[in-house]
Amino acid sequence: MISKADFIRIVRDELALPLADKDLDEDLDQVVNWSSMLLVRLVVALEKETGQKVQISGLLTERTLQGIYARAVGA
């Protein structure tokens, strides 16, 4: 399991998004430059970081990065 701080680091480093802690609860429509391709890149980065498969289908309905974090890492 990765920490929330590690998740934020991955989003910042791998997706080059200027994410602040408070942005985790923002609707994805409010996240600068968010797109479904970023979700795919995030899943790949999380799989690389954790060494575990992340089911992208379970993340498609999430509306916040906090929700993606919770589902992806089981937090």
Side-chain angles (χ1 to χ4, degrees), residues 3 9 12 14-15 20 25-26 30 35 42 46 50 56 70:
S3 69
R9 177 188 49 78
R12 287 179 182 154
E14 299 293 332
L15 305 182
D25 292 321
E26 292 288 331
Q30 302 301 314
S35 71
L42 179 57
L46 290 171
T50 64
I56 195 168

Side-chain angles (χ1 to χ4, degrees), residues 4 7-8 11-12 17-32 34 63-67:
K4 191 177 289 186
F7 179 80
I8 291 171
V11 171
R12 287 179 182 154
L17 288 179
L19 182 70
D21 292 356
K22 66 176 183 57
D23 296 331
L24 286 178
D25 292 321
E26 292 288 331
D27 189 283
L28 290 175
D29 289 338
Q30 302 301 314
V31 176
V32 176
W34 184 258
R63 296 300 313 147
T64 66
L65 285 168
Q66 174 65 42

Side-chain angles (χ1 to χ4, degrees), residues 33-51:
N33 299 324
W34 184 258
S35 71
S36 57
M37 287 307 298
L38 289 179
L39 178 60
V40 173
R41 289 177 51 201
L42 179 57
V43 166
V44 170
L46 290 171
E47 288 179 344
K48 182 179 171 186
E49 182 81 15
T50 64

